[in-house]
């Protein structure tokens, strides 16, 4: 497991039924591309988060396949519709098999 | 003007690298787009790609893509060692087919976005980003 991985998510606490809300996510991760070399000229092995998904009550909102060209601390901003009260599940999949998960509940206003 | 051997080598080497490298490294934009669409024609409407004209730091270049009605958007960077950047698949819960993120660019190059629409057609947009400091290490 990569060190210092911390997911952060910004979701409004309430929304009107059917409203479109903006979600911002950021996860601290060094996103090693596998192209850099250390001081001795050895290639530093690739270690990135290769997939990110967001679900709302089991329905997919967005599913992102990521390549090494995504910057350090991957940041995503996207929009979701909220038909009912429920819970957003955010999941990040690491190259080393680790899975990082964060949940955010939202109420109807 | 008197050049020393060292200066001559340095100048000619740099000129050679500048003239040859972009040709070798840059995959052409139309080729990359047709690689995604499977040879189908991609229209230029229905998708917008927002990227800075000049990025001082190639390590984090903010981009945003908006393609109403798309089921998936693929982002490519033509001049990176590996052109793939990310693929966004939009599900039933998405409020709009748009997304913002930050990407790495190795140098001045085209950033390409290809959207696959719900009816199976494709739309593509590209923009050239000037990069002052490349973002791929090495």
């Amino acid at each position: 497991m990569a060190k210092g991985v911390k997911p952060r998510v910004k979701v409004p606490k309430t929304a009107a039924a059917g409203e479109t809300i903006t979600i911002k996510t950021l996860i601290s991760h060094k996103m090693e591309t596998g192209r850099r070399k250390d001081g001795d000229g050895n290639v530093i092995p690739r270690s990135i988060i290769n997939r990110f998904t967001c679900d709302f009550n089991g329905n997919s909102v967005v599913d992102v396949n990521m390549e090494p060209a995504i910057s350090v601390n991957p940041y995503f901003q996207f929009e979701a519709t909220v038909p009912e009260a429920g819970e957003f599940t955010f999941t990040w999949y690491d190259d080393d098999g680790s899975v990082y998960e964060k949940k955010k509940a939202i109420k109807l206003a | 003007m008197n050049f020393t051997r060292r200066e001559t080598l340095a100048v000619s080497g740099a000129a050679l690298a500048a003239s040859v490298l972009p040709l070798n490294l840059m995959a052409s934009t139309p080729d990359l787009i047709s690689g995604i669409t499977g040879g189908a024609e991609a229209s230029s409407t229905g998708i917008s790609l927002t990227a800075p004209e000049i990025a001082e730091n190639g390590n984090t270049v903010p981009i945003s893509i908006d393609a109403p009605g798309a089921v998936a958007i693929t982002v490519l960077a033509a001049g990176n060692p590996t052109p793939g950047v990310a693929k966004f698949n939009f599900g039933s819960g998405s409020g709009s087919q748009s997304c913002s993120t930050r990407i790495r660019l190795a140098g001045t190059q085209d950033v390409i976005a290809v959207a696959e629409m719900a009816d199976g057609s494709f739309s593509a947009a590209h923009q050239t980003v000037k990069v002052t400091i490349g973002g791929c290490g090495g």
Side-chain angles (χ1 to χ4, degrees):
Chain A
M1 183 166 156
K3 277 180 284 182
V5 176
K6 187 184 174 201
R8 274 166 261 200
V9 173
K10 203 166 191 180
V11 179
K13 286 196 176 65
T14 59
E19 191 186 344
T20 299
I21 58 163
T22 301
I23 297 174
K24 295 177 182 179
T25 71
L26 186 131
I27 184 165
S28 42
H29 193 283
K30 58 187 177 355
M31 296 290 279
E32 196 60 63
T33 60
R35 302 195 74 88
R36 296 201 307 147
K37 289 174 181 164
D38 64 12
D40 303 325
N42 303 316
V43 172
I44 305 170
R46 172 181 137 156
S47 166
I48 67 165
I49 290 175
N50 55 45
R51 186 168 171 227
F52 164 69
T53 63
C54 170
D55 289 2
F56 180 68
N57 289 351
N59 290 327
S60 169
V61 175
V62 70
D63 182 341
V64 188
N65 294 318
M66 296 153 73
E67 303 283 341
I70 296 289
S71 293
V72 71
N73 302 339
Y75 162 86
F76 291 108
Q77 180 187 323
F78 51 91
E79 291 184 334
T81 43
V82 184
E84 67 217 5
E87 195 172 48
F88 283 101
T89 309
F90 305 90
T91 319
W92 291 261
Y93 299 86
D94 199 310
D95 263 355
D96 64 10
S98 310
V99 175
Y100 315 106
E101 200 174 79
K102 183 119 182 163
K103 288 178 191 281
K104 282 274 180 185
I106 188 164
K107 289 180 196 153
L108 287 189
Chain B
M1 246 169 118
N2 288 321
F3 276 119
T4 63
R5 187 180 121 85
R6 184 172 294 183
E7 281 170 341
T8 314
L9 278 176
V11 169
S12 62
L16 194 70
S19 61
V20 173
L21 274 179
L23 285 177
N24 288 347
L25 285 178
M26 281 277 190
S28 85
T29 304
D31 282 359
L32 284 170
I33 294 176
S34 67
I36 300 290
T37 63
E41 195 74 20
S43 82
S44 56
T45 54
I47 181 167
S48 67
L49 169 70
T50 312
E53 264 175 49
I54 298 175
E56 281 177 15
N57 184 353
N59 270 311
T60 56
V61 182
I63 61 160
S64 58
I65 316 123
D66 188 8
V71 289
I73 299 175
T74 307
V75 182
L76 303 163
N80 273 4
T82 51
V85 174
K87 184 175 185 200
F88 301 92
N89 300 295
F90 297 101
S92 54
S94 63
S96 70
Q97 284 68 43
S98 63
C99 195
S100 306
T101 186
R102 297 170 187 154
I103 66 172
R104 288 182 173 126
L105 296 176
T108 299
Q109 58 179 283
D110 262 358
V111 176
I112 307 160
V114 183
E116 188 184 347
M117 297 301 176
D119 61 2
S121 64
F122 291 93
S123 289
H126 59 93
Q127 193 190 328
T128 306
V129 180
K130 279 189 179 176
V131 176
T132 319
I133 304 167
C136 280

